[in-house]
Structure formats: C-alpha cells, structure tokens
Amino acid sequence: MIELKKIWMDGKLVTREEAKVDFLTHALHYGTAVFEGIRCYETPKGPAIFKAKEHIDRFLHSEHIFGRDLNYTREQLVKALKDTVKANGLKSGYIRPLAFMELGGMGLNPTNVRIRIGIACWTWGAYLGAEGIKNGIRCKISSFQRPFVNSGMTKAKMSGNYYNSVMAKDEAIKLGFDEAIMLDHDGFVSECSGENIFLVRDSILYTPPKATILEGITRQSLIEVANDMKIEVREEIITRDQLYVADEVFLCGTAAEMTPVREIDFRKIGAGKPGPITKKLQKKFFDIVRGKVPKYKKWLEYVK
Ligand code: PPE
C-alpha cells in the first residue's frame, strides 16, 4: 500500500484515517470530482514542484467547466501543495489534489452537495516503467475511443471521464501492451489513456491539436523546449498510419514524464528503439525538472 503520512483535507493536514470519506460520497457514485496529477523532483535546492501554478490553474478550470467554483485561490492551493509535500517529507514523487462532491443528497442533482478538497502525495517512480523510459514501450490503438468532445469535456480533468481511460488501459494491458492510444470521434489520433502523444518525421515534431485532447502541461512544456532547441513543432491532425510510418513516437504526461514508443500494433516504430530527437528532448526534460537548466527554473516551485 502507498504510504501517506499526512493528507491535506479542507485546509488541514490530517492522518490517512482522519481523511476517510463516507460511502454515500456523491463522487464515488457519479464521478463528480476533478483532480490533478503533479510531480515534485529533487533539485540541488531541495524538492521542487514542476509547474505548480499551471496545474492549479487547470484544477480551477476543471471545476469551473463542471459549473462550480472552489473557495480557494491559486496561491492558497499552491501553498497547500507545498505544505503537503513538506508534511510528508517527500523528496520526489507525485501529488494528487482532488476536489470531490461529498454529502448533501443522493441522486444526480448536485445543487446541495458539498465539495471537499484533499491533497495526497507519495513516492512514484517511472509510471510506464524505468525500462520503458530507457528503451521505449509497446502501444496498441484502443478499441475505445476518446469520448466525443460534447460528452467527455476535454479540458476538464474530471474523474468521471476516466472510466474510459481505465477501460482502454485495461484492454491494452490484457492484450500484452504497455499503453493504449485512443482515436477521437473522427478516427484521428487523440491521446493515450493518460498521456499526450508526439511523432517525429523528417526531424519535425507533430502532435494533435488541442481540440480533442487534454491540454497537457508536459506537452506544452515540450513544445516550448523543442522550439528553443530549434526543433520545428506542428500541431496537426494525425492519422493512425502516420504513427506507423513515423521515425519516432513518444508519449508525455506528468506521471509518464517522457516515454518513447518502440512499437504500435505490432509495427516497429523507426528503428524500434528511442530515436535521436526523442533522446535529446528527453535528456533536456529530465535536466529541466531536476533544476539543472537555469533558463527553465521559472517552471519550478521550490518547496522550502
Ligand atoms: N492526457 C490525459 C488523458 C491525461 O490524463 C494526462 C495526464 C495527460 C494527457 C498529460 O497531461 P499533463 O500531465 O498535464 O502533462 N494524466 C495524469 C493521470 C495519471 C494517472 O494515472 O492518474 C498524470 O499524468 O498525472
């Protein structure tokens, strides 16, 4: 079991036992919660949260899309992230804020249901495996589509949306793959169960446009880093077979960080191992999050 020393709950740091929630919690029945996934890395100046403000802004936006607003400011929630990391003595790992509808009436009508906010953090290694980060993973185009944009809100990290991702992931794992790539409602490449996707062809990076995807914070960071490295990036509609004939493919997300893809649907991608652009960008990414690149220190929120 993941060890949690303290959980931040509605403004207080409490024990895991004290953070227990009721069986009739609305979110448990209807998926009425929004969440974030944030990483904290060890740097020469102590633990630092990567893009804390951006993650909290997305958290607030998710709740706003849901039609509610939280009684906390961005600054208060960034401080709450830091307090949680400190209280757990976490050096590097994952931080999970969750705003969930709790009690106030069963049934779908959310009008009187109160929202609670919790933040937990724990040590979390490579999400798709250390071997995957180094040598690449195997993916399958999922039989599950990314929900249509007017049913699964694409810009809200709403818990209820994630049953689809869970089914896609489960199917991919049962079929012997590491991750699922989902197509959108029109059959174009969208994103993975919990990552955005990029391909490289003739030294140019391509990634699907924002409309049908979660606007990944790692995706945005990599676009900026690539531009700074003079690698051209195009946000373009991508087909399944464009992935097959790409020189390189990689996934990115907070949990997955930057993970190369070596095979899709039993087809080798490029040389079947991480390509030169992926490797170059990946090295830069890990240097940035670990506070080794002065230019990007503005992306780090030091905990101490
Ligand atoms: N798409 C989806 C569907 C998604 O869930 C994530 C994050 C991303 C793209 C990448 O977004 P960003 O983290 O801002 O770069 N997925 C989170 C969930 C992982 C989990 O298992 O839970 C994450 O990476 O934290």
Side-chain angles (χ1 to χ4, degrees):
M1 193 160 80
I2 286 171
E3 198 210 338
L4 303 173
K5 284 193 199 123
K6 291 279 182 185
I7 295 176
W8 185 98
M9 265 284 175
D10 302 312
K12 286 198 202 87
L13 287 157
V14 299
T15 63
R16 191 172 190 160
E17 283 63 42
E18 288 165 334
K20 291 252 157 73
V21 295
D22 195 276
F23 177 69
L24 289 189
T25 294
H26 199 270
L28 193 58
H29 298 253
Y30 307 119
T32 46
V34 307
F35 70 100
E36 264 308 316
I38 309 172
R39 268 194 192 268
C40 169
Y41 289 92
E42 214 169 341
T43 77
K45 282 168 65 189
I49 303 171
F50 185 66
K51 291 207 160 177
K53 293 187 198 78
E54 289 79 352
H55 279 282
I56 291 301
D57 282 347
R58 190 172 63 189
F59 189 55
L60 294 168
H61 284 160
S62 294
E63 198 65 29
H64 182 71
I65 291 169
F66 179 43
R68 261 131 201 92
D69 290 304
L70 299 175
N71 290 327
Y72 287 91
T73 62
R74 180 215 240 188
E75 288 65 36
Q76 287 170 324
L77 291 172
V78 168
K79 179 171 181 302
L81 298 178
K82 292 197 210 174
D83 290 347
T84 314
V85 168
K86 264 192 250 174
N88 284 277
L90 189 77
K91 290 203 181 81
S92 74
Y94 193 75
I95 316 169
R96 165 57 51 81
L98 179 82
F100 58 101
M101 297 212 99
E102 197 209 26
L103 303 176
M106 283 314 271
L108 295 180
N109 180 358
T111 312
N112 297 317
V113 182
R114 112 174 136 132
I115 295 174
R116 298 189 63 192
I117 309 180
I119 306 172
C121 68
W122 60 88
T123 306
W124 225 17
Y127 185 70
L128 297 169
E131 163 67 23
I133 290 212
K134 191 159 169 261
N135 296 321
I137 60 164
R138 298 174 60 244
C139 293
K140 178 82 192 77
I141 303 286
S142 184
S143 72
F144 296 98
Q145 271 177 345
R146 188 180 194 308
F148 177 56
V149 291
N150 197 30
S151 52
M153 300 290 105
T154 61
K155 307 298 168 262
K157 250 181 115 63
M158 181 112 195
S159 299
N161 283 346
Y162 275 82
Y163 81 96
N164 187 66
S165 276
V166 171
M167 289 197 296
K169 180 85 185 185
D170 190 43
E171 177 190 62
I173 299 289
K174 284 175 177 159
L175 288 170
F177 292 85
D178 302 300
E179 186 52 290
I181 300 170
M182 290 184 288
L183 305 180
D184 68 16
H185 192 254
D186 295 314
F188 296 110
V189 174
S190 166
E191 59 185 337
C192 300
S193 71
E195 302 87 16
N196 292 116
I197 188 165
F198 282 81
L199 70 82
V200 180
R201 187 138 188 219
D202 297 329
S203 303
I204 296 173
L205 272 176
Y206 296 85
T207 193
K210 286 177 184 168
T212 67
I213 59 167
L214 180 80
E215 287 177 11
I217 289 165
T218 321
R219 171 188 181 276
Q220 186 55 38
S221 309
L222 291 177
I223 290 175
E224 285 176 49
V225 174
N227 284 334
D228 289 348
M229 291 167 84
K230 307 277 177 259
I231 301 168
E232 189 182 338
V233 186
R234 295 188 191 162
E235 298 182 59
E236 250 178 39
I237 288 174
I238 293 172
T239 60
R240 171 179 190 158
D241 55 349
Q242 276 177 297
L243 291 177
Y244 294 162
V245 296
D247 302 326
E248 306 175 30
V249 173
F250 62 83
L251 312 183
C252 69
T254 299
E257 300 167 300
M258 210 187 127
T259 304
V261 175
R262 65 182 162 87
E263 193 188 305
I264 300 175
D265 295 348
F266 302 103
R267 289 152 178 89
K268 211 177 0 168
I269 302 304
K273 56 181 191 191
I277 292 186
T278 304
K279 284 208 306 221
K280 213 163 99 179
L281 207 52
Q282 195 190 40
K283 182 177 182 310
K284 191 71 150 198
F285 173 78
F286 282 114
D287 283 348
I288 290 170
V289 295
R290 295 190 177 122
K292 294 182 191 159
V293 190
K295 183 171 183 201
Y296 300 101
K297 280 193 183 159
K298 56 180 189 231
W299 288 352
L300 306 180
E301 187 76 39
Y302 292 99
V303 169
K304 279 174 197 144

